[in-house]
């Protein structure tokens, strides 16, 4: 949902020069899939999948509450970590 509204969000936060960082912050943590796969094997599928959902939801909520571009970038990175875990957890 954030991607669809990203032009409006960036306009409201006056951060058009940082737009690429918002997208990169989401995609880069998804590269953490090998460590996530190892953690899933160690801690079990169900608990890992639930933790990934919580991380993704917390990152999404915080991204929605962000008041600056730096916060938006950081919270989208958290959301990306949860998304990477969700890809592995299936």
């Amino acid at each position: 949902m954030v991607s669809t509204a990203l032009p409006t969000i960036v306009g409201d936060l006056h951060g058009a020069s940082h737009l690429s960082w918002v997208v990169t912050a989401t995609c880069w943590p998804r590269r953490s899939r090998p460590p996530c796969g190892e953690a899933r094997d160690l801690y079990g599928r169900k608990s890992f999948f639930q933790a990934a959902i919580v991380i993704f939801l917390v990152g999404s909520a915080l991204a929605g509450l962000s008041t600056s571009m730096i916060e938006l970038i950081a919270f989208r990175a958290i959301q990306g970590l949860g998304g990477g875990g969700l890809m592995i957890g299936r």
Side-chain angles (χ1 to χ4, degrees):
M1 282 192 218
V2 175
S3 297
T4 305
L6 199 55
T8 305
I9 293 168
V10 170
D12 288 346
L13 295 177
H14 308 292
S17 62
H18 300 298
L19 178 61
S20 62
W21 280 103
V22 176
V23 176
T24 303
T26 305
C27 295
W28 179 75
R30 290 184 181 177
R31 304 282 185 233
S32 66
R33 286 187 277 177
C36 288
E38 184 69 27
R40 180 194 67 192
D41 293 341
L42 289 173
Y43 299 111
R45 261 189 131 126
K46 183 178 178 181
S47 60
F48 183 79
F49 189 66
Q50 290 171 339
I53 290 172
V54 168
I55 292 169
F56 184 81
L57 289 175
V58 167
S60 297
L62 290 173
L65 296 173
S66 61
T67 58
S68 71
M69 286 301 291
I70 300 299
E71 288 178 1
L72 181 62
I73 292 166
F75 297 149
R76 290 280 287 178
I78 293 170
Q79 186 180 20
L81 283 172
L86 289 172
M87 284 190 222
I88 289 296
R90 293 188 275 152

